[in-house]
Amino acid sequence: MSDVRGLPDSRHSLRGLTAEGDEAWLIRDISRKLYRCPGCHGEIEIGADHVVVHYVRRAGGSDHHHWHRDCAEELLVPELRRVSRVSAAESSRGRLESRARRPAGRRARR
Ligand SMILES: [Zn+2]
């Protein structure tokens, strides 16, 4: 998985599948408020370069969480299957939310 190290960045996001078959999209972001990282339960400071993990659920629906970069890389990415690099444009909030309106079986395979 060396090709995904150091990602996501401003041009590339990552996409993988969770054990439950949900899509997990990892998107680089700069925090505009204080977040708490689910990986270490520590704070992500305002202005920090971090990762938004946006889940698109197999049954439809979506939710997202803010992670430290290191925590996402060390704790989350190794749990995902079929992790690949995608262009950041593909992972815009609007696109993911419209994707989440359809259950997985009715989604275009892209
Ligand atoms: Zn963390």
Side-chain angles (χ1 to χ4, degrees):
M1 234 193 284
S2 56
D3 58 326
V4 303
R5 273 201 96 72
L7 293 178
D9 62 21
S10 57
R11 290 170 52 216
H12 297 105
S13 299
L14 297 177
R15 185 184 61 177
L17 290 174
T18 68
E20 292 78 32
D22 298 327
E23 296 173 2
W25 297 71
L26 280 69
I27 303 150
R28 183 248 193 189
D29 193 29
I30 303 293
S31 46
R32 283 169 293 274
K33 58 182 208 179
L34 206 61
Y35 295 110
R36 192 163 294 277
C37 170
C40 67
H41 305 289
E43 288 180 348
I44 300 171
E45 288 180 19
I46 294 169
D49 185 333
H50 71 287
V51 176
V52 177
V53 181
H54 193 110
Y55 292 102
V56 177
R57 302 295 178 187
R58 200 164 65 161
S62 67
D63 51 274
H64 68 272
H65 308 272
H66 296 259
W67 286 68
H68 289 121
R69 293 192 72 93
D70 288 351
C71 294
E73 188 166 295
E74 286 163 27
L75 303 174
L76 189 69
V77 173
E79 302 280 299
L80 299 175
R81 293 178 292 128
R82 289 162 52 190
V83 177
S84 62
R85 194 175 75 167
V86 296
S87 83
E90 262 188 87
S91 63
S92 69
R93 183 70 57 90
R95 283 216 194 189
L96 296 186
E97 281 171 2
S98 81
R99 194 171 175 81
R101 281 183 213 116
R102 293 160 171 269
R106 293 169 51 211
R107 269 173 221 150
R109 284 206 185 273
R110 101 181 167 95

